[in-house]
């Protein structure tokens, strides 16, 4: 709990720092919203031409899109220190974190906040609103719980995926672009229902980077079209795959820390 309070305090300081330049903050947030809004517009154009993708109607596809946008923007908002970790290793700034008496991974999270990503969250919420308006959902506390667990599991999964590249940074001064297949590529691919893709992609995003388990299975249950005929219990437990993936990658990252050699700067 003390660590969480420290993290919240540090995040608050970073946000207050960003807000010292309000005009810059607003313009950058707006630019991010416009960029992400362009993706939303592209999806709307696509759904105007093709009213269904497999078994999914246009509003249902928008719901998947909105969920992914919200979660990914949230991860980039609070986890920019992890996604840009290679910079801290290359510049020698990681050395300063090693001598501080705080949890190392928490410090990495607290090195940077990216308020611009709030624009992406707003676009995601807008997509969810359009989806809910286009196809009303019979909400219940079970479905609300599913969405909350799905958001948490997908967030942990994404942070775990960014930790792959962070770990590689201990051994290579250049980022490994193949990792982006699972992070940014996973975000672009999995903003649509996973069952519309060929089998190799389904396997990749179910068992390697389990977006299908963390997001698609719970969301499909909320939309009353459960993938693979999964029960409510299975849909509720599936996002644990994200927590397991995150836990494994934290251990791998700390293994990389033990092999880290200072830049000497």
């Amino acid at each position: 709990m003390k660590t969480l309070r420290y993290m919240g305090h540090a995040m608050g300081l970073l946000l207050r720092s960003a807000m010292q330049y309000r005009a810059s903050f607003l313009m950058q947030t707006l630019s991010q919203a416009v960029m992400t809004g362009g993706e939303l517009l592209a999806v709307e154009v696509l759904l105007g031409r093709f009213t269904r993708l497999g078994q999914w109607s246009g509003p249902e596809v928008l719901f998947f899109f909105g969920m992914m946008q919200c979660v990914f923007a949230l991860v980039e908002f609070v986890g920019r220190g992890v996604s840009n970790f290679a910079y801290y290793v290359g510049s020698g700034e990681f050395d300063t974190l090693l001598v501080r008496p705080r949890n190392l991974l928490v410090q990495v999270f607290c090195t940077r906040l990216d308020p611009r990503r709030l624009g992406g969250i707003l676009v995601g919420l807008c997509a969810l609103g359009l989806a809910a308006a286009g196809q009303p959902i019979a909400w219940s506390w079970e479905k609300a719980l599913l969405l909350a667990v799905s958001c948490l599991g997908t967030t942990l999964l994404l942070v775990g995926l960014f930790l792959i590249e962070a770990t590689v940074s201990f051994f290579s001064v250049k980022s490994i672009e193949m990792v982006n297949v699972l992070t940014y590529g996973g975000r672009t691919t999995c903003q649509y229902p996973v069952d519309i893709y060929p089998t190799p992609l389904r396997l990749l995003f179910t068992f390697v980077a389990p977006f299908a388990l963390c997001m698609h299975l719970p969301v499909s249950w909320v939309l009353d079209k459960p993938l693979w005929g999964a029960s409510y219990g299975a849909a509720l437990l599936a996002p644990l795959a994200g927590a397991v993936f995150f836990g494994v990658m934290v251990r791998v990252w700390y293994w990389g820390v033990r092999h880290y050699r200072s830049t000497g700067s």
Side-chain angles (χ1 to χ4, degrees):
M1 187 61 68
K2 185 178 180 180
T3 298
L4 291 177
R5 286 200 302 268
Y6 161 73
M7 188 173 180
H9 178 66
M11 292 290 184
L13 290 176
L14 288 170
L15 186 58
R16 286 163 57 190
S17 174
M19 290 298 294
Q20 294 303 307
Y21 302 92
R22 290 184 174 85
S24 175
F25 167 76
L26 290 174
M27 287 188 291
Q28 292 185 21
T29 302
L30 179 61
S31 66
Q32 186 66 36
V34 170
M35 291 173 59
T36 311
E39 297 184 33
L40 175 58
L41 182 60
V43 174
E44 286 282 12
V45 171
L46 175 67
L47 296 176
R49 177 65 178 84
F50 304 98
T51 57
R52 302 189 68 85
L53 286 178
Q55 64 170 321
W56 308 99
S57 66
E60 290 169 342
V61 172
L62 270 182
F63 199 94
F64 282 99
F65 176 87
M67 276 287 293
M68 180 58 76
Q69 291 297 328
C70 285
V71 175
F72 196 87
L74 177 64
V75 170
E76 289 212 305
F77 174 51
V78 299
R80 201 62 175 168
V82 177
S83 61
N84 279 357
F85 184 73
Y87 167 78
Y88 299 106
V89 172
S91 65
E93 292 185 27
F94 183 63
D95 293 2
T96 64
L97 303 184
L98 292 170
V99 298
R100 295 174 181 169
R102 291 290 183 182
N103 180 281
L104 192 56
L105 187 57
V106 170
Q107 289 189 72
V108 172
F109 269 100
C110 296
T111 52
R112 187 175 178 186
L113 199 70
D114 193 355
R116 298 174 302 170
R117 303 300 170 178
L118 291 173
I121 296 176
L122 291 175
V123 172
L125 292 175
C126 179
L128 289 174
L130 290 173
Q135 183 164 324
I137 298 171
W139 287 103
S140 63
W141 69 266
E142 291 96 341
K143 291 185 177 181
L145 177 62
L146 266 184
L147 281 188
V149 172
S150 176
C151 287
L152 178 60
T154 308
T155 297
L156 292 174
L157 170 62
L158 283 166
V159 175
L161 290 172
F162 279 119
L163 281 174
I164 296 176
E165 187 169 357
T167 304
V168 172
S169 301
F170 292 124
F171 306 96
S172 173
V173 295
K174 298 292 184 181
S175 62
I176 305 301
E177 292 302 323
M178 184 171 291
V179 178
N180 291 335
V181 171
L182 300 178
T183 52
Y184 296 99
R187 170 240 182 178
T188 301
T189 302
C190 294
Q191 64 190 9
Y192 301 102
V194 71
D195 63 335
I196 69 173
Y197 295 111
T199 300
L201 281 179
R202 294 187 195 183
L203 294 176
L204 174 65
F205 291 113
T206 301
F207 299 107
V208 180
F211 284 101
L213 299 178
C214 295
M215 192 185 83
H216 293 91
L217 186 55
V219 170
S220 67
W221 206 95
V222 169
L223 297 174
D224 297 316
K225 291 183 179 179
L227 287 172
W228 313 305
S231 65
Y232 177 79
L236 187 62
L237 292 176
L240 286 175
V244 172
F245 188 91
F246 173 74
V248 170
M249 286 314 306
V250 168
R251 295 185 66 87
V252 171
W253 184 78
Y254 274 107
W255 169 81
V257 171
R258 291 196 296 271
H259 290 79
Y260 172 66
R261 298 294 179 266
S262 172
T263 59
S265 58

